[in-house]
């Protein structure tokens, strides 16, 4: 009888140990499965995060490249603003007022200096592209006055800028960039002021950009080349305004 009890007790003990072992294995298996799922979830999150980081870096890189390509001056100076469409890109560096003094009277000009990039499939000259897209006005107070583009060989009178004026009339091949100087005459007989300190660049098409107001970068006085030819004196140049320029998209200030 005692042996039966002992064997029965021993059987219960062994049964308890077996149940405990099975429960432990089940818990460990469950923990391993949970850990495995968590690890996969973390790895997937890391992959998504890495992919997102790659996309962000790519977007930033593309933006930086676009900004670099659209730099508005070869030497990094930004005195004016930018205008562009699918066929071309204009960067206005500055505007200079020039007085040409001659024995028969003074002539006054506004010289727009900048760069032009041709994105079209055909060659085009900067002057034509500029004048077809932008109207230039001088601004005095709240009033503005339209200016007329000079189409004659004015580079013979404005010799310090002669080469850039010529460049502005040369055709630029597709995907190429060129510097230019475009000349507008300030004729008092037509209502223009010769002492304007601001100029407005107004796109004919709003898709080309917003209207921009640019402060005169500097003023210079030179002698007429025909007068210089009759004497040994050199051209007299003087800067009347400081080398600062303000820009604004509001033309009604």
């Amino acid at each position: 009888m005692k042996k039966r009890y002992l064997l029965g007790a021993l059987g219960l003990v062994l049964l308890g140990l077996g149940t405990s072992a099975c429960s432990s294995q089940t818990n460990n298996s469950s923990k391993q499965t949970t850990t495995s799922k968590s690890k996969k979830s973390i790895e997937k999150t890391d992959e998504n995060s890495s992919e997102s980081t790659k996309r962000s870096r790519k977007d930033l890189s593309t933006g930086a490249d676009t900004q670099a390509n659209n730099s508005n001056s070869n030497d990094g100076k930004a005195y004016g603003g930018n205008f562009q469409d699918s066929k071309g890109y204009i960067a206005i560096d500055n505007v200079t007022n020039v007085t040409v003094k001659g024995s028969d009277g003074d002539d006054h000009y506004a010289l727009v200096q900048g760069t032009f990039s041709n994105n079209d499939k055909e060659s085009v000259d900067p002057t034509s592209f500029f004048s077809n897209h932008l109207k230039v006005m001088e601004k005095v107070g709240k009033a503005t006055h339209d200016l007329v583009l000079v189409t004659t060989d004015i580079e013979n009178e404005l010799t310090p800028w002669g080469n850039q004026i010529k460049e502005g009339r040369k055709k630029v091949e597709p995907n190429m960039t060129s510097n230019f100087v475009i000349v507008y005459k300030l004729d008092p007989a037509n209502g223009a002021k010769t002492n304007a300190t601001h100029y407005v660049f107004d796109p004919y098409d709003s898709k080309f950009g917003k209207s921009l107001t640019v402060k005169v970068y500097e003023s210079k006085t030179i002698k007429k080349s025909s007068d210089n030819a009759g004497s040994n004196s050199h051209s007299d140049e003087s800067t009347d305004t400081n080398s600062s320029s303000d820009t604004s998209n509001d033309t009604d200030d």
Side-chain angles (χ1 to χ4, degrees):
M1 188 65 106
K2 289 183 180 179
K3 288 182 179 180
R4 285 181 185 178
Y5 286 134
L6 289 173
L7 290 173
L10 182 60
L12 290 173
V13 171
L14 292 174
L15 180 61
L17 290 174
T19 302
S20 176
C22 289
S23 176
S24 177
Q25 289 178 356
T26 301
N27 291 338
N28 289 338
S29 177
S30 177
K31 288 181 180 179
Q32 289 176 356
T33 301
T34 302
T35 301
S36 177
K37 288 181 178 179
S38 299
K39 185 176 180 181
K40 288 182 179 179
S41 177
I42 291 173
E43 290 175 350
K44 187 174 182 180
T45 301
D46 289 342
E47 288 177 0
N48 292 337
S49 176
S50 176
E51 186 64 28
S52 177
T53 301
K54 289 179 181 178
R55 286 198 299 266
S56 297
R57 287 178 179 173
K58 185 178 180 180
D59 292 342
L60 289 173
S61 176
T62 302
D65 291 342
T66 301
Q67 186 175 3
N69 291 335
N70 289 346
S71 173
N72 64 336
S73 174
N74 288 339
D75 60 4
K77 296 178 181 178
Y79 301 116
N82 306 329
F83 297 91
Q84 72 179 75
D85 64 5
S86 61
K87 294 185 178 181
Y89 171 84
I90 290 175
I92 298 173
D93 293 338
N94 60 65
V95 180
T96 300
N97 281 342
V98 177
T99 299
V100 181
K101 299 186 74 66
S103 57
D104 55 349
D106 300 342
D107 293 321
H108 303 273
Y109 302 95
L111 276 60
V112 180
Q113 185 173 1
T115 56
F116 167 70
S117 298
N118 184 12
N119 299 330
D120 201 357
K121 295 180 180 180
E122 299 179 355
S123 59
V124 61
D125 65 276
T127 298
S128 295
F129 188 88
F130 185 100
S131 60
N132 287 337
H133 283 81
L134 295 172
K135 176 173 65 175
V136 180
M137 300 172 285
E138 64 174 3
K139 182 179 181 181
V140 181
K142 292 186 177 181
T144 57
H145 181 271
D146 292 356
L147 299 181
V148 178
L149 178 70
V150 175
T151 57
T152 58
D153 295 332
I154 194 63
E155 60 267 24
N156 296 326
E157 295 295 336
L158 301 171
T159 51
W161 302 271
N163 289 333
Q164 288 179 300
I165 294 173
K166 291 178 181 178
E167 287 297 317
R169 292 175 180 164
K170 291 182 180 178
K171 289 188 179 295
V172 178
E173 296 301 317
N175 301 316
M176 299 298 290
T177 299
S178 176
N179 296 321
F180 65 78
V181 167
I182 298 177
V183 183
Y184 289 83
K185 187 170 184 178
L186 307 179
D187 190 354
N190 294 328
K193 305 295 183 182
T194 60
N195 59 345
T197 58
H198 290 77
Y199 291 89
V200 178
F201 297 86
D202 191 19
Y204 291 110
D205 187 342
S206 60
K207 293 181 180 179
F208 194 60
K210 295 182 179 180
S211 179
L212 181 81
T213 299
V214 178
K215 184 179 179 181
V216 172
Y217 173 59
E218 61 184 348
S219 295
K220 287 180 174 290
T221 300
I222 63 175
K223 289 184 178 180
K224 186 171 289 189
S225 58
S226 57
D227 290 347
N228 289 336
S231 65
N232 294 324
S233 61
H234 297 286
S235 296
D236 176 30
E237 296 187 13
S238 62
T239 302
D240 300 326
T241 44
N242 55 29
S243 300
S244 64
S245 179
D246 297 331
T247 61
S248 171
N249 289 330
D250 182 8
T251 60
D252 295 324
D253 56 336

